[in-house]
């Protein structure tokens, strides 16, 4: 009888542990998803709603972390090492989110993976087969459907100059009040001109010949 009771307690303890581990995994997956797909969320939901979703996601994460921390603190001493695993998992994931530049990694992958298609667009612009086609702004080109993924915030690129003086901006973030980020192609390989974005560069980084990554306000 005592053995059966002991087994029941052990089974209950295991069930609670795996439930808490599931809570920790859910919380960790949420903030990993938010950091890896931040730019995609901004593109789909707009900056305002994406920020709201991100705040909500972090609230859920911290609630999950608080739950597994309390579970760890109230655990009996002989189970404490095992029962601390869910909290340790969330702690490790949070530290990783703080130190790993997920957005930079995603942008680097985006640039490398889509470089050939962006150069196809550049070629069409320089040849004249793609021309400004947005009525309210003579510098904007709305890309054909198959190329819209190359520029966030509506599938438009911004073009300044002609021939060897041409500069072409593909948005990676098209925020509000002038905030933006993107990849700029300069035909003569010179540093991009702030006139292209109508603001001030906060960061300019050369990626490859003719290609720059920029952030601006």
């Amino acid at each position: 009888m005592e053995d059966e009771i002991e087994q029941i307690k052990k089974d209950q303890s295991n069930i609670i542990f795996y439930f808490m581990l599931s809570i920790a995994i859910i919380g960790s997956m949420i903030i990993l998803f938010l950091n890896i797909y931040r730019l995609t969320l901004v593109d789909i939901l707009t900056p305002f709603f994406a920020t709201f979703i991100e705040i909500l996601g972090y609230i859920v994460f911290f609630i999950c972390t608080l739950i597994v921390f309390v579970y760890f603190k109230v655990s009996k001493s002989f189970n404490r090492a095992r029962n601390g695993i869910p909290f340790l998992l969330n702690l490790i994931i949070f530290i990783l989110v703080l130190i790993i530049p997920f957005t930079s990694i995603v942008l680097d992958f985006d640039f490398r993976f889509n470089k050939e298609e962006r150069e196809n667009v550049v070629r069409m612009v320089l040849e004249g087969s793609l021309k400004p086609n947005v009525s309210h702004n003579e510098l904007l080109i709305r890309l054909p459907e198959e190329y819209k993924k190359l520029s966030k915030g509506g599938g438009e690129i911004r073009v300044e100059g002609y021939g060897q003086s041409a500069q072409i901006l593909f948005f990676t973030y098209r925020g509000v009040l002038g905030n933006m980020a993107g990849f700029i192609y300069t035909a003569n390989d010179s540093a991009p001109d702030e006139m292209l974005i109508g603001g001030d560069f906060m960061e300019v980084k050369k990626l490859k010949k003719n290609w720059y990554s920029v952030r601006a306000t």
Side-chain angles (χ1 to χ4, degrees):
M1 187 65 179
E2 290 183 1
D3 290 343
E4 291 179 358
I5 294 174
E6 190 65 29
Q7 185 61 43
I8 290 171
K9 288 182 178 179
K10 186 176 181 180
D11 291 342
Q12 289 176 338
S13 176
N14 287 336
I15 290 171
I16 294 172
F17 168 74
Y18 287 113
F19 178 69
M20 291 298 169
L21 185 60
S22 298
I23 289 176
I25 291 172
I26 290 170
S28 296
M29 292 300 293
I30 286 173
I31 63 165
L32 282 175
F33 177 87
L34 289 173
N35 279 272
I36 293 171
Y37 294 101
R38 176 176 287 144
L39 295 177
T40 301
L41 288 174
V42 169
D43 188 41
I44 295 172
L45 301 176
T46 74
F48 175 79
F49 287 108
T51 300
F52 173 77
I53 293 297
E54 187 169 1
I55 291 172
L56 183 62
Y58 271 89
I59 290 174
V60 172
F61 169 77
F62 284 118
I63 290 174
C64 291
T65 303
L66 179 61
I67 291 171
V68 296
F69 176 72
V70 171
Y71 167 68
F72 166 64
K73 290 296 289 183
V74 302
S75 296
K76 295 180 180 179
S77 58
F78 62 87
N79 277 335
R80 181 159 290 188
R82 185 195 69 166
N83 294 350
I85 292 174
F87 175 67
L88 182 62
L89 172 64
N90 276 17
L91 184 62
I92 291 172
I93 293 299
F94 184 65
I95 292 172
L96 290 177
V97 165
L98 290 178
I99 64 175
I100 296 177
F102 284 100
T103 299
S104 296
I105 292 171
V106 170
L107 286 175
D108 183 65
F109 177 80
D110 181 355
F111 176 73
R112 294 174 185 275
F113 186 77
N114 294 303
K115 183 172 180 286
E116 186 175 340
E117 285 192 279
R118 286 195 174 96
E119 289 182 340
N120 287 340
V121 171
V122 167
R123 193 176 304 111
M124 288 188 282
V125 172
L126 296 179
E127 291 173 352
S129 57
L130 270 182
K131 298 179 180 180
N133 55 10
V134 178
S135 59
H136 64 272
N137 192 324
E138 63 182 11
L139 298 180
L140 291 178
I141 297 176
R142 183 169 291 111
L143 295 173
E145 195 64 35
E146 64 269 28
Y147 292 114
K148 281 188 175 181
K149 65 178 182 178
L150 301 178
S151 191
K152 305 296 185 184
E156 297 173 345
I157 60 174
R158 190 177 176 96
V159 180
E160 177 81 42
Y162 302 91
Q164 284 301 301
S165 65
Q167 300 184 78
I168 303 168
L169 166 64
F170 294 82
F171 293 97
T172 55
Y173 171 74
R174 197 172 182 180
V176 293
L177 302 177
N179 293 320
M180 55 75 58
F183 302 125
I184 295 180
Y185 175 91
T186 63
N188 59 11
D189 197 32
S190 62
D193 190 335
E194 290 181 339
M195 289 292 291
L196 177 65
I197 51 98
D200 299 318
F201 287 137
M202 296 173 58
E203 179 182 271
V204 178
K205 178 182 177 183
K206 187 165 186 176
L207 301 173
K208 296 282 184 182
K209 186 174 187 285
N210 303 108
W211 285 99
Y212 293 81
S213 174
V214 302
R215 286 193 305 116
T217 57

